Amino acid sequence: MTDSAPRRARVRAPELIGKGGWLNTGEKQYTLADLRGRIVVLDFWTFCCINCLHVLDELRALEEKHRDTVVVIGVHSPKFVHEAGHQAVVDAVERYGVEHPVLDDPELATWKQYAVRAWPTLVVIDPEGYVVAQHAGEGHAHAIERLVEELEAEHAAKGTLRRGDGPYVPPEPEPTTLRFPGKALLLPSGNLLVSDTTRHQLVELAEDAETVVRRIGSGTRGFSDGGPERACFNEPQGLALLEDGSVVVADTVNHALRRLDPVSGEVTTLAGTGKQWWQGSATSGAAREVDLSSPWDVAVFGGRVWIAMAGVHQLWTYDPAAGTVAVAAGTTNEGLVDGPGAEAWFAQPSGLAATAERLWLADSETSALRWVDLDGHVHTAVGTGLFDFGHRDGAAGQALFQHPLGVTALPDGSVAVADTYNHALRRYDPATGEVTTLATDLREPSDAVLVGEDIVVVESARHRLTRLRLPEEAVRVESVAHRTRRAATEVAPGRLRLDVIFQAPAGQKLDTRYGPSTRLLVSSTPPELLLKGEGADTDLSRELELNPAVTQGVLHVSAMAASCDDDPENAYPACHVHQQDWGVPVRLTEGATDRLPLVLAGMDEQEGGSQTP
């Protein structure tokens, strides 16, 4: 569907309900009635999701500019079992610098009330308590900004706008040496370098992994080069040692690679512009001129620096000699597909480790351990897809992880996996195809580094490094398997109408200057689920045919729409790309709905409910 639908429907906003209660409010519990008179932006997010983290950053400017009229509320809606734990949400809110109230909704009660189908989703509620817009995915801040300005003017004129301080109450800072550290690197000196992610610094620790030798970075969120006190990072993560002895840093929220001179502490920028990569941006070129997207880890493999580009579900490379970057594997579609690099699908790759023959990677959203060979082909060792996870040892085909973020090559050819949401360190042995558990009772381990006969684990949620002796016998734990907490959508077998709803933001129109401005890609797991309707096309509506013999599966839907300012006098209109990937678990049920609406931006005018004129 295109932008022909009416711009604004009035739908009464359901109440905000969450069993975990409210965070960042000084323990006060809120209802929508308490927020009447304010413009409320609900951000349905879950902390594993890189697109959700992008939206947190997009909203910062909106929150600052409209602080006295807009209240942003994060509705935390978990995908993984670990994310349903209240303390895990508390940690995530601090880890990612969330400076607005958050409703902890572990049972997805509010998610269901608002009929949300994707992480992230933004819902705008006007000062009178009506839903006036819904947007799935990222890149919508400009549209919401414009809508907020319209609502401010409209409700100021009606006398229904209430200005003043918002309900946000910051938590007390904790005096720990590290705060949610991300990755670690063993330096030639024997010291350890750690990305102190939440404090926007690198910290060099002595060999005891506790004593601070020095801090690098101002400690303030920013993007500037210079000496150790002046340089600024923004949630740095991965670290790798280059041949010249310098360290390359994945500066995640700055969408950049930085270089640290370990002798002088000087920080410079190797790659990235500071802007986030979007569809249509360059995919190769001079490193300082190409946009990147949330680089999470780095490793040297085959003479190049490989980058886990979590933000676009790809692997990129940086060539230090040529000073260039390029896509090496992945299509930007989110999922688990092996094969040649150009055809492979990843889901938020977040950890890398190189051996002479293989580049290992932790593919976090598929809870998978995967690897790239010297020919650039992608293989999966452990993992099946976006919605199956757990803690199960044994043969690789049956073994399960839960959102791993780190991987470490061990001397015997096996690899250790920082199995983050299982709070465990796991081991995969390619020789036997077996997965075992090395250690448990670790709090959100995000990386590990070999130091002699020990392995030093980054216990991110305990804010420390923990030294373990690699045991000869793996610890045995009870096997657990999970599927995502999202309930499957019941749909009728046979014909299914897929409608992606997109209404261009006010003052904009579809960008048709260079041909069709929309794109829809559909596939399924298992592939047999779809008898008709698979593949790419430019129409945002499509007739699918579901195989009655397949009782359940996942529909993978990727949609994109481009819009530009609708001003004939402007020769250079501002243009925006709206994009979202959905993984929709479906269950085929006779008599169920034969239409699946997915809102990219706007309101679904065909959906029934409490709409009023």
Side-chain angles (χ1 to χ4, degrees):
M1 297 180 68
T2 63
D3 55 347
S4 58
R7 197 181 72 77
R8 193 181 302 171
R10 282 169 62 83
V11 181
R12 178 63 72 179
E15 190 52 83
L16 304 178
I17 305 164
K19 193 173 181 181
W22 290 80
L23 305 175
N24 280 356
T25 62
E27 301 188 358
K28 181 174 178 180
Q29 307 299 298
Y30 279 87
T31 66
L32 277 177
D34 298 324
L35 303 170
R36 195 62 48 83
R38 310 299 290 271
I39 301 163
V40 177
V41 179
L42 300 182
D43 175 18
F44 289 87
W45 70 300
T46 188
F47 63 78
C48 70
C49 159
I50 190 66
N51 311 91
C52 299
L53 303 186
H54 289 167
V55 167
L56 287 177
D57 291 311
E58 288 178 8
L59 290 175
R60 293 185 203 280
L62 179 77
E63 292 179 86
E64 183 62 36
K65 184 175 178 182
H66 299 273
R67 187 172 295 280
D68 65 337
T69 58
V70 172
V71 176
V72 176
I73 293 175
V75 182
H76 190 268
S77 313
K79 171 186 174 180
F80 289 99
V81 168
H82 167 64
E83 293 174 304
H86 183 69
Q87 186 57 47
V89 181
V90 172
D91 287 346
V93 167
E94 182 190 348
R95 180 195 294 269
Y96 296 116
V98 180
E99 295 185 355
H100 52 244
V102 172
L103 176 64
D104 180 12
D105 182 19
E107 296 177 348
L108 302 182
T110 297
W111 165 288
K112 293 169 186 171
Q113 286 291 315
Y114 281 82
V116 174
R117 297 185 188 273
W119 295 280
T121 291
L122 296 169
V123 175
V124 181
I125 302 171
D126 73 12
E128 294 179 288
Y130 289 94
V131 174
V132 291
Q134 181 171 330
H135 301 268
E138 51 184 300
H140 301 294
H142 66 284
I144 292 175
E145 163 89 19
R146 184 154 186 163
L147 177 57
V148 162
E149 290 172 350
E150 289 181 6
L151 290 171
E152 285 176 340
E154 175 185 334
H155 288 274
K158 290 174 67 175
T160 49
L161 184 69
R162 178 167 57 89
R163 296 179 181 271
D165 293 334
Y168 170 64
V169 178
E172 288 293 321
E174 297 284 341
T176 52
T177 301
L178 302 172
R179 205 69 193 160
F180 298 105
K183 305 288 185 181
L185 174 69
L186 181 64
L187 296 170
S189 65
N191 288 351
L192 289 155
L193 187 67
V194 185
S195 53
D196 196 15
T197 303
T198 297
R199 293 210 177 113
H200 315 295
Q201 291 180 318
L202 308 179
V203 179
E204 185 176 346
L205 300 177
E207 294 182 26
D208 64 5
E210 295 180 11
T211 305
V212 175
V213 176
R214 63 175 171 168
R215 293 181 180 274
I216 297 148
S218 67
T220 301
R221 189 188 293 272
F223 188 15
S224 59
D225 292 340
E229 291 83 23
R230 182 176 176 276
C232 292
F233 298 98
N234 197 342
E235 298 184 25
Q237 286 281 349
L239 307 164
L241 201 61
L242 297 177
E243 282 188 6
D244 64 2
S246 65
V247 176
V248 58
V249 182
D251 193 5
T252 305
V253 180
N254 277 329
H255 311 295
L257 297 188
R258 315 292 290 282
R259 177 187 182 274
L260 168 68
D261 182 333
V263 177
S264 68
E266 189 79 14
V267 175
T268 52
T269 299
L270 293 175
T273 64
K275 296 178 181 177
Q276 185 182 337
W277 188 95
W278 287 98
Q279 289 289 349
S281 302
T283 55
S284 64
R288 292 291 304 274
E289 298 172 10
V290 176
D291 299 337
L292 309 181
S293 182
S294 296
W296 207 274
D297 203 5
V298 280
V300 178
F301 177 62
R304 292 175 292 169
V305 176
W306 286 66
I307 309 162
M309 204 70 79
V312 283
H313 316 298
Q314 291 181 312
L315 301 179
W316 288 45
T317 58
Y318 165 70
D319 185 333
T324 56
V325 291
V327 174
T331 64
T332 76
N333 292 310
E334 184 178 11
L336 193 154
V337 176
D338 289 338
E343 300 171 12
W345 290 24
F346 301 98
Q348 218 167 296
S350 302
L352 299 175
T355 67
E357 304 293 326
R358 294 184 180 186
L359 178 73
W360 292 97
L361 67 118
D363 204 27
S364 62
E365 280 292 288
T366 52
S367 298
L369 174 66
R370 306 176 72 185
W371 54 280
V372 183
D373 62 27
L374 290 171
D375 294 326
H377 280 66
V378 179
H379 311 260
T380 298
V382 181
T384 57
L386 284 164
F387 298 99
D388 292 293
F389 54 90
H391 190 153
R392 182 192 286 157
D393 286 337
Q398 302 298 316
L400 294 170
F401 299 126
Q402 186 180 181
H403 197 79
L405 290 178
V407 60
T408 307
L410 301 178
D412 64 354
S414 67
V415 289
V417 177
D419 193 6
T420 308
Y421 288 2
N422 280 328
H423 308 293
L425 188 68
R426 312 284 294 284
R427 175 177 176 264
Y428 168 70
D429 186 351
T432 63
E434 293 283 318
V435 174
T436 53
T437 298
L438 296 172
T440 56
D441 192 31
L442 301 165
R443 280 274 307 276
E444 293 193 26
S446 53
D447 196 20
V449 60
L450 271 178
V451 181
E453 296 182 358
D454 297 338
I455 191 163
V456 174
V457 180
V458 180
E459 271 198 278
S460 191
R462 278 201 179 109
H463 318 293
R464 71 186 190 194
L465 303 190
T466 299
R467 188 181 297 267
L468 303 172
R469 179 57 55 95
L470 285 173
E472 294 181 13
E473 292 294 326
V475 179
R476 291 293 168 194
V477 296
E478 185 179 350
S479 294
V480 182
H482 302 291
R483 283 187 67 78
T484 177
R485 297 180 66 85
R486 287 174 62 192
T489 299
E490 293 198 349
V491 295
R495 290 187 178 180
L496 178 70
R497 178 73 175 181
L498 172 65
D499 286 331
V500 173
I501 288 88
F502 177 75
Q503 295 153 15
Q508 295 194 354
K509 63 178 181 179
L510 290 175
D511 178 16
T512 56
R513 292 172 299 165
Y514 307 109
S517 62
T518 56
R519 181 173 181 270
L520 179 64
L521 177 67
V522 180
S523 63
S524 67
T525 304
E528 298 76 31
L529 174 63
L530 271 179
L531 295 176
K532 176 185 166 189
E534 184 179 15
D537 203 346
T538 57
D539 193 344
L540 291 183
S541 292
R542 189 177 301 180
E543 197 84 30
L544 309 181
E545 187 173 346
L546 304 183
N547 187 346
V550 179
T551 57
Q552 61 182 11
V554 179
L555 289 175
H556 303 283
V557 181
S558 178
M560 183 183 77
S563 63
C564 290
D565 289 346
D566 187 10
D567 181 0
E569 302 299 317
N570 186 356
Y572 302 100
C575 297
H576 306 275
V577 174
H578 314 257
Q579 183 178 8
Q580 173 62 20
D581 293 338
W582 291 268
V584 184
V586 294
R587 182 180 298 112
L588 273 58
T589 306
E590 290 290 347
T593 183
D594 61 357
R595 177 175 179 261
L596 178 62
L598 299 174
V599 177
L600 178 59
M603 302 285 286
D604 179 17
E605 302 297 337
Q606 291 189 42
E607 201 161 79
S610 56
Q611 294 193 6
T612 59

